[in-house]
Amino acid sequence: LFHPHAPAASDRTGSYYLANAIGNPLETAIAVASIIFGGVLDKLPDIKLCFVHGGGYACYGIGRMDRAYKVRDEGKVNDIQGIPSSYLCKLYFDCLTHSYPALDYLLETVTSDNVLLGSDFPFDMGFDSPAQWVLDAPNLSDIDKEKILGGNATRLLGLDSSDCWGFTMIPSADPIVVAPTPTPFDSEDRVDYDVLGRNVERWLKTPLSGFVL
């Protein structure tokens, strides 16, 4: 999972919270482009990589990347096997676009199979109710919503849906129903890292000693 820490252009984004509003998506787009042009996905075709903030500007700038690959030698130094846009569906992205038209474009570009629920918790740019934001998306089908709200993550991580905390999809003849399940948060909505760690250990079947949560 890729989340920016030191955003790009920090020397010019000190005002108006632009370091986060613009810099973080730019940093994510740089990461996506570097992985594609660097040939990582050719060398490691089974690797699973997920980028937050809907991949930043990567999907919206992919046509320009294709053009650069076609007309410039610099884009071919690693002999990647296809144009940059052909690699997008090998990557995963969260849904945190803050805009339904942007979310529609993301799904049009990479399909709903490659989009996961994002929250940006506990940061101030996150959604108050990420699942509800997806449920309210006007142009997504119920199948798309179910994939984003948990189906894709369950498949990607090889989980049994009964082991997941956060939201569980409830079979229903009506539109998707999302029911809360036990979460690793205390009474003040802060993360209980002991509970979170035990959940992750159970999912991964690996002790987390040596990892920092």
Side-chain angles (χ1 to χ4, degrees):
L1 177 66
F2 287 77
H3 188 290
H5 173 66
S10 58
D11 58 323
R12 291 179 289 159
T13 55
S15 302
Y16 317 120
Y17 206 42
L18 295 182
N20 192 318
I22 292 176
N24 275 355
L26 175 58
E27 185 69 28
T28 302
I30 292 172
V32 171
S34 298
I35 285 170
I36 291 174
F37 281 105
V40 173
L41 301 176
D42 290 330
K43 296 174 184 176
L44 301 170
D46 295 326
I47 194 170
K48 301 296 188 292
L49 305 176
C50 182
F51 298 85
V52 299
H53 310 144
Y57 307 125
C59 290
Y60 314 106
I62 196 64
R64 191 171 180 87
M65 294 184 211
D66 282 351
R67 180 62 178 170
Y69 173 76
K70 292 174 182 177
V71 303
R72 298 291 303 187
D73 291 337
E74 295 94 328
K76 303 181 181 71
V77 295
N78 291 303
D79 295 321
I80 60 176
Q81 297 173 8
I83 59 175
S85 59
S86 68
Y87 291 91
L88 286 181
C89 284
K90 299 178 182 293
L91 302 173
Y92 295 86
F93 306 88
D94 80 5
C95 67
L96 200 74
T97 61
H98 296 283
S99 161
Y100 287 133
L103 179 63
D104 293 342
Y105 182 75
L106 177 63
L107 267 67
E108 180 183 340
T109 304
V110 303
T111 81
S112 60
D113 290 331
N114 292 58
V115 179
L116 311 177
L117 182 65
S119 70
D120 231 354
F121 181 86
F123 303 108
D124 54 6
M125 290 290 284
F127 289 131
D128 294 330
S129 179
Q132 192 60 53
W133 189 79
V134 173
L135 290 172
D136 290 341
N139 297 322
L140 300 191
S141 68
D142 285 352
I143 292 175
D144 290 338
K145 293 174 183 180
E146 184 172 2
K147 289 178 180 179
I148 294 170
L149 289 171
N152 288 338
T154 300
R155 170 178 53 84
L156 179 62
L157 298 174
L159 303 177
D160 184 321
S161 60
S162 64
D163 289 336
C164 298
W165 54 262
F167 297 95
T168 300
M169 304 309 300
I170 306 299
S172 172
D174 298 322
I176 291 175
V177 177
V178 176
T181 58
T183 67
F185 300 97
D186 64 17
S187 59
E188 297 180 4
D189 291 332
R190 296 172 303 193
V191 177
D192 184 331
Y193 286 102
D194 289 335
V195 174
L196 178 58
R198 288 195 297 273
N199 284 338
V200 173
E201 285 181 341
R202 186 175 72 252
W203 297 337
L204 298 179
K205 298 181 175 60
T206 304
L208 285 174
S209 57
F211 288 82
V212 177
L213 288 176

